[in-house]
Amino acid sequence: MYPSRFRYEAPSTVAEAVALLAANGDAKILAGGQSLIPMMKLRFAAPAMLVDINGIAGLNYHRPDGDGTYRIGALCRHADLEKSATLADHQPTIAAAAPVVADPLVRTRGTLVGSLCHADPQGDWASVMVSLGGSVVAEGPNGRRSIAVDDLIDGPFQTALADDEIAVEAVVPAAIGTRAGGYLKLERRVGDFATVGVAVSAEMSGDTVSRAGIGLTGVGPATINASDAAAALVDTALDADAVDAAAQLAAEAAQPRTDHRGSADYKRHVVATFVRRIGAQIQRAGHEAA
């Protein structure tokens, strides 16, 4: 099926793109297009205008600031993160997720920021960014504002972005201590959406967790911030009892439905198993570094 008729614009600056959005209420941003274009072809989305931001220079970065804050531009592709030689040193949870997002073809065009704005309940990046306490910087007619990813996603395919705002970058705050973490995903086949996805981020001061986050994907109507589970890891050395407690709380925070991919109980079991596995991975990495 072909998409319905639309107007196409390709601005060269963020300001031009914002002006186009402000003047046209029914417009969509095109960055990677790996979710938007299929939806348009199926007529699930029918915007009157596409605003293609691929010609805007300076949005394809991913880099740490001097204070440890990490920034990912709106045109940074999944593949850029996957192939980075330095990302794992700064952001191990992001580095763990990058190779399992969709498939290689999609990773060459899709973007992390675009995925966050698409707000698919089975998308990988929202759970990763929630676990990291990340935010999105949005630019509109009144300037820029920062939106925590936990607040950005209102529900399935719904965000807090205004119609005349563009998400220009994702930001991960500086860690307290040494950053550790991981991402595990259950999928029916390579490139599929997550049946269950679990992101764990831990910031270590010596052997003790000073801050932690756990994000869940595929097990609810939107990305889930398992904050109680993450709190169970803080001020611990990721011992078995602490990780087991976090795993149980994460499973309780999940809101899965029984479907053709598995029962709700099975999906909760996978959530708990993944938390335990990532906890063990963090411990092993710490022992090897020591």
Side-chain angles (χ1 to χ4, degrees):
M1 186 179 293
Y2 293 102
S4 57
R5 186 183 298 272
F6 60 89
R7 176 182 165 192
Y8 174 83
E9 295 287 348
S12 58
T13 67
V14 172
E16 290 177 11
V18 169
L20 285 167
L21 293 180
N24 298 271
D26 186 16
K28 290 288 186 182
I29 294 292
L30 177 66
Q34 299 304 293
S35 298
L36 177 60
I37 297 302
M39 290 182 70
M40 290 177 62
K41 290 177 71 175
L42 292 169
R43 303 282 178 108
F44 291 153
M49 176 189 291
L50 283 189
V51 179
D52 185 346
I53 65 171
N54 283 277
I56 299 177
L59 293 179
N60 61 344
Y61 56 86
H62 64 95
R63 60 172 184 258
D65 288 346
D67 66 354
T69 301
Y70 207 86
R71 300 182 183 277
I72 301 171
L75 292 178
C76 178
R77 313 294 175 181
H78 308 310
D80 297 333
L81 299 169
E82 178 187 9
K83 297 174 182 178
S84 172
T86 61
L87 180 64
D89 296 334
H90 298 282
Q91 299 293 337
T93 307
I94 296 177
V100 298
V101 173
D103 57 47
L105 291 176
V106 170
R107 291 198 293 272
T108 61
R109 292 299 301 168
T111 65
L112 180 147
V113 172
S115 177
L116 295 177
C117 295
H118 184 54
D120 191 319
Q122 293 178 295
D124 301 287
W125 287 125
S127 60
V128 170
M129 292 298 288
V130 162
S131 78
L132 291 164
S135 60
V136 162
V137 176
E139 183 166 336
N142 298 318
R144 291 193 171 194
R145 66 179 178 126
S146 178
I147 310 168
V149 174
D150 205 20
D151 297 327
L152 174 72
I153 299 171
D154 286 341
F157 307 103
Q158 297 178 330
T159 73
L161 284 171
D163 291 341
D164 56 2
E165 286 184 315
I166 297 175
V168 293
E169 70 173 359
V171 180
V172 178
I176 301 172
T178 303
R179 195 179 289 283
Y183 181 75
L184 290 174
K185 174 182 180 177
L186 175 67
E187 53 191 347
R188 293 180 299 175
R189 59 185 180 273
V190 174
D192 196 9
F193 288 103
T195 298
V196 178
V198 176
V200 178
S201 174
E203 299 170 23
M204 311 295 296
S205 296
D207 293 331
T208 304
V209 178
S210 54
R211 188 163 64 187
I214 298 178
L216 311 178
T217 193
V219 288
T223 301
I224 293 172
N225 183 353
S227 54
D228 289 343
L233 298 176
V234 176
D235 295 329
T236 76
L238 290 176
D239 55 274
D241 287 344
V243 174
D244 281 345
Q248 183 59 39
L249 288 167
E252 292 173 4
Q255 304 168 29
R257 297 177 61 182
T258 296
D259 57 20
H260 63 287
R261 294 171 181 254
S263 69
D265 286 344
Y266 168 69
K267 293 175 185 179
R268 288 193 181 93
H269 173 74
V270 173
V271 168
T273 299
F274 281 177
V275 171
R276 292 188 182 99
R277 288 183 182 177
I278 297 172
Q281 290 173 3
I282 295 171
Q283 276 202 321
R284 283 197 301 271
H287 291 155
E288 291 169 1

